[in-house]
Amino acid sequence: MRRIGTLSAWAVLAVALVLTLFPFYWMVRTALTPAADLYADSGALFPSHPTMVNFLRILGLTTQEETRAAGGSGARIDFARYLLNSVVYSGLIATLQTFFCAMAGYAFARLRFPGRQFVFGVVIAALMVPPIFTLLPNFVLVKNLDLINTFLGMVAPTILMTPFAVFFLRQFFLSLPRDVEEAARLDGNGPWGVFWRVSLPMSRGPLITIGLTTTVWAWKDYLWPLLVGREEQTRVLTVALGVFLQQSPNTRPDWTGLMAGSTLSVLPVLLLLIFLGRRLVQSLNFSGIK
Protein backbone atom coordinates (compact mmCIF):
# COMPACT_ATOMS: atom_id res chain seq x y z
CA MET A 1 0.00 0.00 0.00
CA ARG A 2 2.84 2.36 0.81
CA ARG A 3 4.43 1.74 -2.59
CA ILE A 4 1.10 2.38 -4.32
CA GLY A 5 0.71 5.64 -2.44
CA THR A 6 4.24 6.73 -3.43
CA LEU A 7 3.62 5.91 -7.09
CA SER A 8 0.30 7.74 -7.00
CA ALA A 9 1.95 10.82 -5.51
CA TRP A 10 4.65 10.79 -8.21
CA ALA A 11 1.99 10.38 -10.89
CA VAL A 12 0.05 13.37 -9.59
CA LEU A 13 3.24 15.43 -9.48
CA ALA A 14 4.12 14.39 -13.03
CA VAL A 15 0.69 15.42 -14.31
CA ALA A 16 0.91 18.73 -12.46
CA LEU A 17 4.38 19.33 -13.93
CA VAL A 18 3.17 18.65 -17.48
CA LEU A 19 0.16 20.94 -17.03
CA THR A 20 2.42 23.67 -15.68
CA LEU A 21 5.13 23.46 -18.34
CA PHE A 22 2.98 22.76 -21.38
CA PRO A 23 1.90 26.41 -21.92
CA PHE A 24 5.57 27.44 -21.90
CA TYR A 25 6.41 24.67 -24.35
CA TRP A 26 3.57 25.74 -26.64
CA MET A 27 4.78 29.33 -26.51
CA VAL A 28 8.27 28.28 -27.64
CA ARG A 29 6.81 25.91 -30.24
CA THR A 30 4.70 28.71 -31.73
CA ALA A 31 7.71 31.05 -31.73
CA LEU A 32 9.69 28.50 -33.77
CA THR A 33 6.88 27.97 -36.29
CA PRO A 34 6.86 29.92 -39.57
CA ALA A 35 3.83 32.16 -39.87
CA ALA A 36 2.73 30.33 -43.02
CA ASP A 37 2.62 27.00 -41.15
CA LEU A 38 0.93 28.24 -38.00
CA TYR A 39 -2.63 27.26 -38.87
CA ALA A 40 -1.67 24.29 -41.03
CA ASP A 41 0.27 22.69 -38.15
CA SER A 42 -1.94 23.98 -35.35
CA GLY A 43 -2.39 20.53 -33.82
CA ALA A 44 1.18 19.26 -34.18
CA LEU A 45 3.40 19.03 -31.11
CA PHE A 46 6.49 20.01 -33.10
CA PRO A 47 6.81 22.56 -35.93
CA SER A 48 7.32 21.01 -39.36
CA HIS A 49 9.83 23.66 -40.44
CA PRO A 50 11.35 25.24 -37.29
CA THR A 51 12.91 28.65 -37.81
CA MET A 52 14.53 31.43 -35.78
CA VAL A 53 13.28 34.20 -38.04
CA ASN A 54 10.55 35.22 -35.58
CA PHE A 55 13.17 35.92 -32.90
CA LEU A 56 15.35 37.80 -35.38
CA ARG A 57 12.56 40.13 -36.44
CA ILE A 58 11.46 40.79 -32.86
CA LEU A 59 15.05 41.77 -32.08
CA GLY A 60 15.06 44.09 -35.10
CA LEU A 61 17.69 42.06 -36.99
CA THR A 62 15.63 41.78 -40.19
CA THR A 63 14.53 44.33 -42.76
CA GLN A 64 10.91 45.24 -43.38
CA GLU A 65 10.93 43.17 -46.57
CA GLU A 66 12.40 40.13 -44.80
CA THR A 67 9.84 40.49 -42.04
CA ARG A 68 6.91 40.50 -44.46
CA ALA A 69 8.45 37.63 -46.45
CA ALA A 70 8.54 35.60 -43.23
CA GLY A 71 4.84 36.23 -42.72
CA GLY A 72 5.24 38.99 -40.15
CA SER A 73 2.77 41.80 -39.70
CA GLY A 74 5.25 44.60 -40.31
CA ALA A 75 4.85 45.96 -36.77
CA ARG A 76 8.10 46.98 -35.07
CA ILE A 77 9.19 46.78 -31.43
CA ASP A 78 12.28 48.34 -29.83
CA PHE A 79 12.98 45.23 -27.79
CA ALA A 80 16.28 46.37 -26.25
CA ARG A 81 14.80 49.63 -24.96
CA TYR A 82 11.73 48.00 -23.47
CA LEU A 83 13.88 45.27 -21.93
CA LEU A 84 15.98 47.94 -20.21
CA ASN A 85 12.81 49.67 -18.98
CA SER A 86 11.56 46.40 -17.50
CA VAL A 87 14.90 45.84 -15.78
CA VAL A 88 14.82 49.34 -14.28
CA TYR A 89 11.16 49.03 -13.21
CA SER A 90 11.43 45.59 -11.61
CA GLY A 91 14.90 46.28 -10.20
CA LEU A 92 13.85 49.45 -8.41
CA ILE A 93 10.77 47.81 -6.91
CA ALA A 94 12.57 44.62 -5.87
CA THR A 95 15.59 46.34 -4.33
CA LEU A 96 13.86 49.13 -2.40
CA GLN A 97 10.79 47.14 -1.39
CA THR A 98 12.93 44.31 -0.02
CA PHE A 99 15.05 46.73 2.00
CA PHE A 100 12.09 48.65 3.46
CA CYS A 101 10.19 45.45 4.23
CA ALA A 102 13.27 44.13 6.04
CA MET A 103 13.31 47.27 8.17
CA ALA A 104 9.60 46.92 8.96
CA GLY A 105 9.87 43.18 9.66
CA TYR A 106 12.79 43.74 12.04
CA ALA A 107 10.92 46.52 13.84
CA PHE A 108 7.89 44.27 14.41
CA ALA A 109 10.10 41.37 15.53
CA ARG A 110 12.57 43.09 17.85
CA LEU A 111 11.60 46.65 18.72
CA ARG A 112 9.13 47.52 21.47
CA PHE A 113 6.87 50.52 20.89
CA PRO A 114 3.27 51.46 21.77
CA GLY A 115 0.67 50.00 19.44
CA ARG A 116 3.07 47.52 17.85
CA GLN A 117 0.62 44.63 17.78
CA PHE A 118 -2.19 46.85 16.50
CA VAL A 119 -0.07 48.24 13.67
CA PHE A 120 1.09 44.75 12.74
CA GLY A 121 -2.53 43.60 12.73
CA VAL A 122 -3.40 46.41 10.32
CA VAL A 123 -0.53 45.36 8.04
CA ILE A 124 -1.73 41.74 8.06
CA ALA A 125 -5.32 42.87 7.43
CA ALA A 126 -4.09 44.62 4.30
CA LEU A 127 -3.51 41.16 2.83
CA MET A 128 -7.28 40.88 2.44
CA VAL A 129 -7.53 44.03 0.29
CA PRO A 130 -7.46 43.14 -3.44
CA PRO A 131 -4.87 45.22 -5.32
CA ILE A 132 -7.51 46.31 -7.84
CA PHE A 133 -9.22 48.31 -5.06
CA THR A 134 -6.21 50.59 -4.69
CA LEU A 135 -5.58 50.98 -8.41
CA LEU A 136 -7.78 54.05 -8.98
CA PRO A 137 -6.72 55.97 -5.83
CA ASN A 138 -3.07 55.33 -6.68
CA PHE A 139 -3.58 56.53 -10.24
CA VAL A 140 -5.30 59.71 -9.11
CA LEU A 141 -2.52 60.39 -6.61
CA VAL A 142 0.24 59.82 -9.17
CA LYS A 143 -1.59 62.00 -11.69
CA ASN A 144 -2.03 64.85 -9.19
CA LEU A 145 1.69 64.65 -8.39
CA ASP A 146 2.42 64.97 -12.14
CA LEU A 147 4.31 61.68 -12.18
CA ILE A 148 2.56 60.05 -15.14
CA ASN A 149 5.06 58.53 -17.61
CA THR A 150 7.90 58.59 -15.09
CA PHE A 151 9.62 55.68 -13.38
CA LEU A 152 9.03 57.33 -10.02
CA GLY A 153 5.29 57.33 -10.63
CA MET A 154 5.38 53.72 -11.78
CA VAL A 155 7.18 52.41 -8.71
CA ALA A 156 5.69 54.77 -6.10
CA PRO A 157 2.70 52.62 -4.95
CA THR A 158 4.77 49.48 -4.30
CA ILE A 159 8.24 50.75 -3.48
CA LEU A 160 7.82 50.84 0.31
CA MET A 161 6.28 47.54 1.36
CA THR A 162 3.88 44.68 0.81
CA PRO A 163 2.10 43.01 3.74
CA PHE A 164 3.27 39.50 2.85
CA ALA A 165 6.94 40.53 2.65
CA VAL A 166 6.75 42.25 6.05
CA PHE A 167 5.12 39.17 7.60
CA PHE A 168 7.58 36.78 5.93
CA LEU A 169 10.66 38.67 7.10
CA ARG A 170 9.23 39.23 10.59
CA GLN A 171 8.88 35.47 10.96
CA PHE A 172 12.52 34.98 10.08
CA PHE A 173 13.80 37.73 12.37
CA LEU A 174 11.88 36.13 15.23
CA SER A 175 13.82 32.91 14.64
CA LEU A 176 17.25 34.57 14.87
CA PRO A 177 19.16 33.86 18.10
CA ARG A 178 19.02 36.81 20.48
CA ASP A 179 22.47 35.99 21.87
CA VAL A 180 24.16 37.26 18.70
CA GLU A 181 22.24 40.53 18.87
CA GLU A 182 22.99 40.93 22.56
CA ALA A 183 26.70 40.48 21.83
CA ALA A 184 26.47 43.19 19.19
CA ARG A 185 24.84 45.53 21.70
CA LEU A 186 27.63 44.88 24.19
CA ASP A 187 30.05 45.98 21.46
CA GLY A 188 28.31 49.35 21.37
CA ASN A 189 25.85 48.88 18.51
CA GLY A 190 22.45 50.48 18.70
CA PRO A 191 19.24 49.14 17.09
CA TRP A 192 20.31 50.30 13.63
CA GLY A 193 23.81 48.85 14.03
CA VAL A 194 22.44 45.49 15.17
CA PHE A 195 20.03 45.42 12.22
CA TRP A 196 22.59 46.52 9.62
CA ARG A 197 25.67 44.63 10.82
CA VAL A 198 24.16 41.47 12.32
CA SER A 199 20.54 40.69 11.46
CA LEU A 200 20.59 41.75 7.82
CA PRO A 201 23.70 39.72 6.82
CA MET A 202 22.18 36.67 8.53
CA SER A 203 18.99 37.08 6.48
CA ARG A 204 20.39 36.79 2.97
CA GLY A 205 18.27 33.71 2.20
CA PRO A 206 14.89 35.26 3.03
CA LEU A 207 15.94 38.55 1.43
CA ILE A 208 16.74 36.71 -1.81
CA THR A 209 13.36 35.00 -1.58
CA ILE A 210 11.48 38.27 -1.28
CA GLY A 211 13.68 39.86 -3.92
CA LEU A 212 12.99 37.05 -6.38
CA THR A 213 9.24 36.94 -5.84
CA THR A 214 9.02 40.72 -6.07
CA THR A 215 11.11 40.76 -9.25
CA VAL A 216 8.90 38.13 -10.90
CA TRP A 217 5.75 40.01 -9.89
CA ALA A 218 7.05 43.35 -11.15
CA TRP A 219 8.42 41.82 -14.36
CA LYS A 220 5.04 40.42 -15.38
CA ASP A 221 3.00 43.39 -14.16
CA TYR A 222 0.83 44.79 -16.96
CA LEU A 223 -2.12 46.88 -15.83
CA TRP A 224 -0.32 49.47 -13.68
CA PRO A 225 2.51 50.11 -16.20
CA LEU A 226 -0.13 50.36 -18.91
CA LEU A 227 -1.93 53.13 -17.01
CA VAL A 228 1.11 55.10 -15.83
CA GLY A 229 3.93 54.30 -18.27
CA ARG A 230 2.37 54.61 -21.70
CA GLU A 231 5.11 56.64 -23.40
CA GLU A 232 8.14 55.17 -25.16
CA GLN A 233 10.63 56.23 -22.47
CA THR A 234 8.84 54.30 -19.71
CA ARG A 235 7.07 51.49 -21.59
CA VAL A 236 7.93 48.04 -20.23
CA LEU A 237 8.03 44.75 -22.15
CA THR A 238 4.60 43.50 -21.14
CA VAL A 239 2.95 46.69 -22.37
CA ALA A 240 5.15 46.82 -25.48
CA LEU A 241 4.11 43.30 -26.51
CA GLY A 242 0.46 44.29 -26.19
CA VAL A 243 1.06 47.36 -28.35
CA PHE A 244 2.94 45.18 -30.86
CA LEU A 245 -0.07 42.88 -31.20
CA GLN A 246 -2.48 45.80 -31.62
CA GLN A 247 -0.32 47.41 -34.31
CA SER A 248 -0.47 44.37 -36.58
CA PRO A 249 -1.85 45.77 -39.86
CA ASN A 250 -2.81 42.34 -41.19
CA THR A 251 -6.27 40.88 -40.85
CA ARG A 252 -5.01 38.36 -38.29
CA PRO A 253 -2.69 38.90 -35.31
CA ASP A 254 1.03 38.18 -35.56
CA TRP A 255 0.98 35.26 -33.13
CA THR A 256 4.41 33.90 -34.06
CA GLY A 257 6.05 37.28 -33.45
CA LEU A 258 4.17 37.73 -30.20
CA MET A 259 5.20 34.30 -28.92
CA ALA A 260 8.83 34.99 -29.89
CA GLY A 261 8.74 38.25 -27.94
CA SER A 262 7.06 36.53 -24.99
CA THR A 263 9.70 33.80 -24.97
CA LEU A 264 12.51 36.36 -24.96
CA SER A 265 10.81 38.32 -22.19
CA VAL A 266 10.65 35.22 -19.96
CA LEU A 267 14.35 34.37 -20.32
CA PRO A 268 15.81 37.02 -17.93
CA VAL A 269 13.56 35.99 -15.04
CA LEU A 270 14.05 32.29 -15.83
CA LEU A 271 17.83 32.68 -15.70
CA LEU A 272 17.53 34.60 -12.44
CA LEU A 273 15.44 31.82 -10.89
CA ILE A 274 17.88 29.15 -12.11
CA PHE A 275 20.91 30.89 -10.58
CA LEU A 276 19.23 31.82 -7.31
CA GLY A 277 16.72 28.96 -7.02
CA ARG A 278 18.80 27.01 -4.50
CA ARG A 279 18.93 30.03 -2.22
CA LEU A 280 15.15 30.29 -2.55
CA VAL A 281 14.61 26.70 -1.38
CA GLN A 282 17.09 27.07 1.48
CA SER A 283 15.47 30.24 2.75
CA LEU A 284 12.06 28.58 2.87
CA ASN A 285 13.53 26.01 5.25
CA PHE A 286 14.73 28.75 7.62
CA SER A 287 11.80 31.16 7.37
CA GLY A 288 9.74 29.67 10.18
CA ILE A 289 6.71 29.28 7.88
CA LYS A 290 5.37 25.75 7.73
Side-chain angles (χ1 to χ4, degrees), residues 66-82:
E66 291 172 337
T67 298
R68 292 188 180 279
S73 64
R76 309 292 292 182
I77 177 173
D78 191 350
F79 191 88
R81 179 172 189 170
Y82 300 142

Side-chain angles (χ1 to χ4, degrees), residues 26-42:
W26 200 256
M27 176 179 67
V28 177
R29 179 259 182 204
T30 304
L32 294 172
T33 303
D37 298 345
L38 181 62
Y39 294 98
D41 296 340
S42 59

Side-chain angles (χ1 to χ4, degrees), residues 214-236:
T214 305
T215 300
V216 172
W217 170 84
W219 189 268
K220 67 183 180 63
D221 193 16
Y222 176 77
L223 184 56
W224 179 251
L226 176 66
L227 293 175
V228 182
R230 292 169 289 185
E231 298 296 331
E232 291 280 336
Q233 66 269 17
T234 55
R235 185 178 295 168
V236 296

